[in-house]
């Protein structure tokens, strides 16, 4: 494997994993746009990821040739064995397991270690080299149970029935996970959606993930008339700062993100109720994963590389920062300025 300007390149297989630029052959770990870019000649991914790519990019730009590989299946390209194993990040997310001449490299993409009703759980695969993210690669980051954060949201709804609760979420993964967690917590009323979230929610349901009753936020019938008091409304991060928010009755501004652990970020975004719900591994889970995959060498693609590499060194594991271009740029709720994470 080589880190190149076009991305992580498998030399004997002659293909890239999550390349940031158009290439001849690409293996894609999941549908977020910092990993799934348009206009590759040939794309290999899980069926769900290919479906998400087509929905977001259009059929023509999601790969001129598209090949689905389900977990449990394998293929060989130029002598390199390829398997896709669940990564637990979003629907269809996968780790890329590469076997060649008795050696194994696992490219994890983005991943989380918490249970998620909307996607398959992460599966650790022992390997010789493991490629990891480090989005929350600082000891300060310890994610609480997501169920506790959802309970906080529901308690706030109970305390302020005269106000709408507006939760900023990312359109792919976070939105659907939060809805599923609300259903598990007993919220059987409609969840109201900003128009920017409806397409992917519909796609999740088409792919077999039930989300219950979802309704679009209605346009204001009468100027200034409050709407959706006592209801939960999901919207893309930033919607609270647009005229669209005037549709809602004195909204309680919330945000669901691992970065809500950083109080300055919540304050700067005007978040009244920060919800620490992340789709990435926290510090302890990054180290747990390193122990479970048993790799003597771990490469870090993006995030807080220095702290993680130092901690790995204390465990006798060789760490290497890859500094790949374009990673971590898509999800605005999961990508703060460097100074907010202590740099």
């Amino acid at each position: 494997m080589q880190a190149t300007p076009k991305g992580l390149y498998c030399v004997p297989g002659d293909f890239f994993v999550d390349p940031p630029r158009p290439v001849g052959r690409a293996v894609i770990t999941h549908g977020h746009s910092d990993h799934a870019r348009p206009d590759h000649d040939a794309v290999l991914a899980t069926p769900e990821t290919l479906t998400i790519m087509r929905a977001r990019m259009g059929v023509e730009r999601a790969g001129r040739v598209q090949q689905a590989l389900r977990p449990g299946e394998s293929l060989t390209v130029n002598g390199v064995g390829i398997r896709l194993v669940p990564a637990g990040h979003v629907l269809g997310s996968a780790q890329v397991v590469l076997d060649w001449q008795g050696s194994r490299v696992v490219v994890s993409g983005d991943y989380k270690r918490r249970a998620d009703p909307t996607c398959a759980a992460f599966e650790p695969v022992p390997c010789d080299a493991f490629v990891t993210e480090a989005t929350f690669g600082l000891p300060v980051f310890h994610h609480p149970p997501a169920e506790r954060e959802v309970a906080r949201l529901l308690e706030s709804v109970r305390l302020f029935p005269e106000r709408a609760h507006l939760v900023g979420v990312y359109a792919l993964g976070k939105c659907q996970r939060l809805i599923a967690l609300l259903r598990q917590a007993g919220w059987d009323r409609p969840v109201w959606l900003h128009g920017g979230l409806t397409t992917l929610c519909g796609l999740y349901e088409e792919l077999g993930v039930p989300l219950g009753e979802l309704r679009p936020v209605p346009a204001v019938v009468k100027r200034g008339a409050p709407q959706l008091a006592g209801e939960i409304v999901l919207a893309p991060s930033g919607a609270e700062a647009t005229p669209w928010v005037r549709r809602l009755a004195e909204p309680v501004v919330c945000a669901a993100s691992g970065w809500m652990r950083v109080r300055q970020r919540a304050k700067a975004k005007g978040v009244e109720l920060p919800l620490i719900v992340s789709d990435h591994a926290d510090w302890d889970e990054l180290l747990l994963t390193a122990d479970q995959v048993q790799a003597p060498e771990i490469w870090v693609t993006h995030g807080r590389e220095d702290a993680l590499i130092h901690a790995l060194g204390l465990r006798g594991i060789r760490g290497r920062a890859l500094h790949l271009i374009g990673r971590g740029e898509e999800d605005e709720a999961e990508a703060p300025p460097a100074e907010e994470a202590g740099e």
Side-chain angles (χ1 to χ4, degrees):
M1 303 296 293
Q2 291 182 354
T4 76
K6 289 186 176 182
L8 194 59
Y9 178 56
C10 177
V11 177
D14 188 27
F15 57 80
F16 292 83
V17 179
D18 291 348
R21 304 175 186 176
V23 299
R25 292 193 288 185
V27 181
I28 305 299
T29 61
H30 66 283
H32 283 149
S33 68
D34 57 337
H35 293 256
R37 298 293 177 93
D39 300 329
H40 303 305
D41 289 334
V43 171
L44 176 72
T46 63
E48 296 86 355
T49 293
L50 289 175
T51 301
I52 290 167
M53 290 176 67
R54 290 191 290 266
R56 305 189 87 188
M57 304 173 184
V59 175
E60 315 79 22
R61 305 195 68 191
R64 293 176 181 84
V65 177
Q66 300 167 20
Q67 183 174 357
L69 188 66
R70 299 178 183 278
E73 299 177 342
S74 62
L75 59 80
T76 301
V77 176
N78 296 336
V80 178
I82 304 175
R83 290 188 293 129
L84 300 181
V85 174
H89 181 53
V90 298
L91 182 62
S93 61
Q95 305 170 78
V96 181
V97 181
L98 304 175
D99 289 292
W100 183 67
Q101 295 187 355
S103 295
R104 174 176 293 166
V105 174
V106 174
V107 184
S108 63
D110 289 340
Y111 64 95
K112 70 173 177 290
R113 303 302 307 268
R114 307 294 176 93
D116 181 343
T118 68
C119 68
F122 179 93
E123 297 178 12
V125 178
C127 54
D128 299 291
F130 183 68
V131 183
T132 185
E133 60 150 312
T135 302
F136 291 105
L138 288 174
V140 67
F141 289 113
H142 298 280
H143 303 326
E147 293 78 7
R148 189 193 79 178
E149 301 301 283
V150 169
R152 292 177 59 235
L153 171 60
L154 294 177
E155 176 64 9
S156 183
V157 172
R158 186 187 70 80
L159 291 173
F160 302 104
E162 74 283 3
R163 303 176 67 183
H165 278 66
L166 174 61
V167 187
V169 294
Y170 187 62
L172 172 57
K174 186 69 62 65
C175 173
Q176 298 79 22
R177 182 187 179 200
L178 189 61
I179 293 170
L181 289 169
L182 283 166
R183 300 309 187 197
Q184 286 186 343
W187 183 263
D188 56 4
R189 290 157 59 180
V191 174
W192 299 82
L193 300 179
H194 183 283
L197 303 179
T198 56
T199 297
L200 285 173
C201 285
L203 186 62
Y204 262 61
E205 294 204 296
E206 290 175 15
L207 293 172
V209 180
L211 299 175
E213 185 178 2
L214 307 176
R215 295 183 187 176
V217 173
V220 176
V221 177
K222 183 179 179 181
R223 185 174 180 84
Q227 295 188 108
L228 304 182
E231 302 293 343
I232 296 175
V233 180
L234 304 188
S237 177
E240 74 282 352
T242 69
W244 174 89
V245 79
R246 297 173 189 163
R247 304 180 184 192
L248 307 180
E250 195 185 353
V252 177
V253 176
C254 318
S257 168
W259 294 113
M260 289 300 99
R261 171 70 71 183
V262 183
R263 294 180 181 179
Q264 300 96 310
R265 180 165 177 82
K267 183 177 180 181
K269 292 175 68 68
V271 175
E272 188 173 348
L273 180 62
L275 303 170
I276 306 171
V277 180
S278 177
D279 290 330
H280 298 264
D282 68 11
W283 175 255
D284 289 337
E285 291 161 344
L286 290 169
L287 297 179
L288 170 67
T289 303
D291 291 340
Q292 290 179 335
V293 300
Q294 304 170 28
E297 188 163 348
I298 292 182
W299 305 341
V300 186
T301 58
H302 65 284
R304 311 298 144 192
E305 299 104 329
D306 291 347
L308 182 59
I309 288 172
H310 175 73
L312 293 172
L314 296 178
R315 284 170 153 75
I317 300 171
R318 296 187 300 276
R320 175 188 172 195
L322 296 184
H323 303 298
L324 295 183
I325 298 171
R327 292 295 175 83
E329 294 179 354
E330 175 173 18
D331 189 341
E332 70 280 359
E334 299 273 18
E339 62 271 13
E340 294 181 1
E343 289 192 357

